[in-house]
Amino acid sequence: MIVCVKPSIYELTIKRSRFISVSRHIDDREDVKSFIEKLKREHPDARHVCYGYIADEKGDDFGYDDDGEPSGTAGKPIYSAIAAAGARKTVIAVVRYFGGIKLGAGGLTRAYRQSAAELIEQAGLARAEKYAEYEVECDNETYKRAGAVLRNLNCKVEGIVYNKTVSFTALAPVACDLSGALSTIGVAPVKIGEKYVFEENEQ
């Protein structure tokens, strides 16, 4: 299990500068780029869009960016707030609209850290479990039996398509032997990867 900061927005004003913090869950560091590009499009008049992230489960794949603020005053404090909360697979960006009063290096560091920390406190953390993801196809009659097997193994079913056959995606706890369980009824699931799934009401 991991915990992520829930998606949220939080705004802080310090000496007329607006600091708008935005959090998102990410699957990998590639998600960070698209997230930041989207924020910059949404805030074309902002002076800076700084961010920090942790993209993996262990906390080894992380990064931060000051986006023109003095080195070390923006991205790193944001990242530090994420790390201090124990969150993983999370990015927090802080959009700054300059208010005309310079804060100095120390003031900036405190402002960005406060923006991220207060966002985390407001949003809270969401628990997520890792599941193996399978593509499954079978006939209609077998699907009824497959459904019983999946329920007994606490699997989740997504994207059901009814045609001449039934195809769907099954999410199984990583410790579960789904292939072995379904083989007993003549179904051969194809593993396509792994993903984190949030607990009910957590996202």
Side-chain angles (χ1 to χ4, degrees), residues 131-145:
Y131 282 73
E133 189 173 14
Y134 295 86
E135 287 183 345
V136 187
E137 186 175 0
C138 57
D139 60 55
N140 283 270
E141 195 60 37
T142 304
Y143 173 66
K144 296 175 184 177
R145 289 186 285 157

Side-chain angles (χ1 to χ4, degrees), residues 8-10 20-24 35 39 91-95 119:
S8 190
I9 299 175
Y10 177 79
I20 304 170
S21 306
V22 187
S23 57
R24 288 290 182 275
F35 172 61
L39 274 181
V91 59
I92 294 179
V94 179
V95 179
L119 168 68

Side-chain angles (χ1 to χ4, degrees), residues 8-178:
S8 190
I9 299 175
Y10 177 79
E11 184 167 340
L12 184 68
T13 300
I14 299 175
K15 293 184 178 180
R16 298 207 297 264
S17 277
R18 293 172 61 205
F19 294 86
I20 304 170
S21 306
V22 187
S23 57
R24 288 290 182 275
H25 166 259
I26 54 175
D27 287 318
D28 52 45
R29 62 168 56 203
E30 288 302 311
D31 288 346
V32 176
K33 181 180 178 182
S34 58
F35 172 61
I36 299 302
E37 288 175 348
K38 181 173 182 290
L39 274 181
K40 288 185 175 182
R41 289 195 300 270
E42 292 173 352
H43 298 272
D45 298 326
R47 180 70 67 88
H48 307 281
V49 180
C50 309
Y51 62 90
Y53 67 87
I54 297 177
D56 66 341
E57 299 93 338
K58 295 182 178 179
D60 297 330
D61 186 3
F62 63 89
Y64 41 82
D65 192 288
D66 297 314
D67 193 35
E69 293 281 33
S71 179
T73 63
K76 192 170 184 180
I78 298 169
Y79 155 75
S80 296
I82 298 170
R88 298 291 184 263
K89 288 187 167 288
T90 294
V91 59
I92 294 179
V94 179
V95 179
R96 183 190 181 194
Y97 285 88
F98 182 55
I101 300 174
K102 293 185 177 181
L103 302 181
L108 282 172
T109 301
R110 288 189 295 272
Y112 280 104
R113 183 185 297 118
Q114 181 181 351
S115 296
E118 292 186 4
L119 168 68
I120 294 169
E121 184 177 359
Q122 171 191 274
L125 300 174
R127 296 182 296 274
E129 297 280 359
K130 183 183 280 187
Y131 282 73
E133 189 173 14
Y134 295 86
E135 287 183 345
V136 187
E137 186 175 0
C138 57
D139 60 55
N140 283 270
E141 195 60 37
T142 304
Y143 173 66
K144 296 175 184 177
R145 289 186 285 157
V149 172
L150 293 166
R151 285 191 295 274
N152 288 337
L153 295 174
N154 295 317
C155 297
K156 303 177 187 295
V157 175
E158 298 178 342
I160 303 172
V161 177
Y162 296 95
N163 210 316
K164 292 181 179 179
T165 60
V166 182
S167 59
F168 58 93
T169 299
L171 299 173
V174 289
C176 166
D177 180 15
L178 183 62

